Amino acid sequence: MASPVAVLCVILLSVCAALADRPVQQFEEAGCEQDGLSYPIGASVPDDDPCTFGCFCASPGNVVCAVVKSPRSCAFMQPQCVDAVYVNDPMQCCPYMTCPNGPNCQAGDQIIPAGQTVEVNGAECRCDGMLSVCSVSISHEVVMPQN
């Protein structure tokens, strides 16, 4: 009677001999699937993510991409307004801020468009860039003593 190890070796050798030409074929058939399309290993895989580039099928079912930037690493420029809003554009990696009412600044509770002068709480306030400059006119009444 043959030992279990010898039987196992014979089975393995016969399977390997029968499938000697299949390993290459298996790897050619295996690949990655993305958006309903199949890609062979090593093939470029299109990707709509603006934060990645150079995507390819690295191994069966494994698409690998280089990450350019993650939204958490985005730097935000301070916009020239006090009422800025965040915009998430799917075509850009990072969200950005915009001024829906144009450049402006704030004095008290009032938003002042850039370059304009308005009255705020009795003071005349002007928006210069992001800086509001307010001045109060004080009229003095001078009483002259009589001789």
Side-chain angles (χ1 to χ4, degrees), residues 2-25:
S3 73
V5 174
V7 170
L8 183 58
C9 286
V10 168
I11 292 171
L12 284 174
L13 285 174
S14 63
V15 169
C16 288
L19 301 175
D21 64 329
R22 285 208 67 202
V24 173
Q25 187 178 4

Side-chain angles (χ1 to χ4, degrees), residues 28-42:
E28 287 174 0
E29 289 174 5
C32 302
E33 187 173 315
Q34 183 151 321
D35 298 326
L37 298 173
S38 296
Y39 300 91
I41 292 177

Side-chain angles (χ1 to χ4, degrees), residues 57-129:
C57 180
S59 60
N62 188 20
V63 175
V64 175
C65 302
V67 176
V68 178
K69 185 181 272 192
S70 86
R72 290 190 304 180
S73 67
C74 295
F76 294 102
M77 298 289 292
Q78 179 63 38
Q80 295 294 309
C81 62
V82 295
D83 57 352
V85 294
Y86 284 98
V87 176
N88 288 311
D89 183 346
M91 299 307 292
Q92 294 187 19
C93 183
C94 293
Y96 60 92
M97 295 177 79
T98 187
C99 298
N101 299 308
N104 58 46
C105 53
Q106 187 168 0
D109 292 336
Q110 189 164 350
I111 294 177
I112 307 168
Q116 292 191 16
T117 302
V118 297
E119 186 178 320
V120 178
N121 298 328
E124 208 170 82
C125 298
R126 177 171 178 78
C127 180
D128 290 322

